[in-house]
Amino acid sequence: MTQEYTAESVETGADAEHQRAGAGARVRNVLSRWRGGRNVWRRGIVLAVLAVLAALLMILHAQIPNRIGNLGSLTETFLPWLGLVIPVILVLALLRRSATALIALLLPAVVWVNLFGGLLADKSGGGGDFTVATHNVNAENPDPAGTAREVAEAGADVLALEELTETDVPTYEKALAGTYKYHSVQGTVGLWSKYPMSGTRPVDIRLGWVRAMRSTITTPEGQVGVIVAHLPSVRVKLHAGFTANQRDNSADALGVAISREPVGRVILLGDLNGTMNDRSLNAVTSQMRSTQGAAGDGYGFSWPASFPMARIDQIMVKGIEPTASWTLPRTDSDHLPVAARVELRAD
């Protein structure tokens, strides 16, 4: 019995030693392929160049001219997505066993994290005494009543709707009447409020028809100026590039309206058809603060609803502290509703 046990032990120990030797050989084989002398540095030069170019695009995006097809604005609209080149180049660099490409990849990785890494975290906090929401309901929405009920469930004190049609306005008014005592529809945009509204009027954004409005909301914490806007749509065309000139002109006009707003505390709600990175919205973004950027949960992409790739539905504030910002569940629109909570109460 003792002799048999000893033989098995010797055999088992030999197998383990053989396995360790095999594993060591595989590691040495991998290392030898990576050591490859000068080849490990010569391989993947193209990948390294692509990595550096991606970093330069992110760093110098403001220098990309808009004169040719508004290429600069197009790049800035989807700028966070440039980060997708990082894992792609990483996989290719590993397959090519290129030390040069891996080192070069550090540059776009650091740049992307510096620009957008902070947006990955949930910056929302407690507090806040005023909730707002905005939704482009889509003129072709098959269920406006259902959409109205769904956004009303967010419990916002003020709700802005864009892309309202004359036919559907009565449906939205009826569906929201039980939640909001006050409302006004100006052209294709509307504002619903739990608190009294005054000074309500259209805002001229140089379109020839009404797609923006403003109103003063009298809350328990004082007056707040609320602006609702739906800037013109943009298109990406092969023969014309990123066609956004009409949107850009309207953004400039909206910026003027914001600067002339008589109430010190201002909230902007609406579909701006542009992101906070888009330089063409500077007339607006230079005056106001994004609730998503300041207190949002993640990127808050709102369009298209089926696979959100950009946040073009915005909530911005001036003279007000945001405490939280988020997207709401999908409705029958091609946009997601967005909401924010702000602090109106003075310290």
Side-chain angles (χ1 to χ4, degrees), residues 6-343:
T6 303
E8 288 180 354
S9 299
V10 171
E11 184 177 350
T12 301
D15 289 343
E17 183 64 28
H18 179 70
Q19 290 175 359
R20 285 195 293 269
R26 287 192 293 271
V27 171
R28 287 192 297 273
N29 185 41
V30 170
L31 292 176
S32 66
R33 284 186 293 171
W34 269 91
R35 280 197 293 266
R38 296 180 179 178
N39 287 337
V40 75
W41 298 103
R42 291 175 178 173
R43 288 192 295 260
I45 296 298
V46 173
L47 292 175
V49 170
L50 290 175
V52 173
L53 287 177
L56 290 175
L57 272 177
M58 288 186 278
I59 295 171
L60 304 175
H61 64 86
Q63 307 305 317
I64 301 174
N66 255 350
R67 292 187 298 274
I68 304 174
N70 286 297
L71 185 59
S73 287
L74 176 60
T75 302
E76 289 163 343
T77 297
F78 299 103
L79 195 61
W81 292 94
L82 281 176
L84 288 179
V85 305
I86 297 172
V88 173
I89 293 178
L90 174 62
V91 171
L92 294 176
L94 291 173
L95 291 175
R96 288 283 293 147
R97 302 191 300 277
S98 169
T100 301
L102 288 177
I103 292 174
L105 191 59
L106 291 174
L107 183 58
V110 170
V111 171
W112 189 91
V113 169
N114 183 60
L115 290 176
F116 306 110
L119 295 176
L120 291 172
D122 183 357
K123 298 182 291 299
S124 59
D129 51 25
F130 195 67
T131 302
V132 297
T134 181
H135 189 26
N136 180 326
V137 296
N138 188 1
E140 299 178 359
N141 192 315
D143 184 17
T147 295
R149 288 192 295 270
E150 288 172 35
V151 292
E153 289 176 359
D157 297 296
V158 167
L159 171 65
L161 300 181
E162 303 86 48
E163 211 165 293
L164 297 170
T165 65
E166 186 176 355
T167 302
D168 289 336
V169 164
T171 302
Y172 285 105
E173 291 176 327
K174 181 179 179 180
L176 295 171
T179 305
Y180 298 98
K181 185 176 180 180
Y182 309 92
H183 87 280
S184 175
V185 174
Q186 305 284 329
T188 61
V189 297
L191 186 63
W192 278 258
S193 173
K194 294 180 179 179
Y195 302 114
M197 301 169 55
S198 61
T200 306
R201 57 175 174 76
V203 172
D204 182 12
I205 55 173
R206 303 174 190 167
L207 284 176
W209 68 96
V210 179
R211 283 182 39 153
M213 62 178 290
R214 63 86 52 203
S215 185
T216 299
I217 310 296
T218 302
T219 78
E221 305 302 330
Q223 292 187 333
V224 180
V226 176
I227 299 175
V228 183
H230 183 195
L231 297 187
S233 300
V234 297
R235 297 287 185 271
V236 180
K237 301 179 181 178
L238 292 177
H239 66 281
F242 191 58
T243 57
N245 292 337
Q246 193 176 40
R247 189 279 311 268
D248 299 348
N249 292 334
S250 290
D252 292 341
L254 180 59
V256 171
I258 293 169
S259 67
R260 295 175 179 174
E261 176 59 37
V263 182
R265 297 183 296 182
V266 185
I267 300 175
L268 172 64
L269 305 166
D271 175 6
L272 302 190
N273 273 303
T275 68
M276 294 296 293
N277 294 315
D278 190 339
R279 74 192 71 172
S280 296
L281 299 185
N282 280 350
V284 175
T285 57
S286 62
Q287 301 184 68
M288 308 196 78
R289 188 181 183 192
S290 165
T291 59
Q292 186 68 27
D297 180 3
Y299 288 105
F301 293 152
S302 63
W303 178 88
S306 57
F307 187 82
M309 297 182 65
R311 185 180 178 88
I312 63 175
D313 301 276
Q314 305 289 356
I315 299 176
M316 300 185 200
V317 295
K318 180 180 180 181
I320 296 172
E321 185 64 29
T323 60
S325 189
W326 64 96
T327 57
L328 296 171
R330 184 179 179 182
T331 69
D332 281 321
S333 171
D334 57 340
H335 292 242
L336 293 180
V338 298
R341 189 169 60 250
V342 301
E343 184 68 52

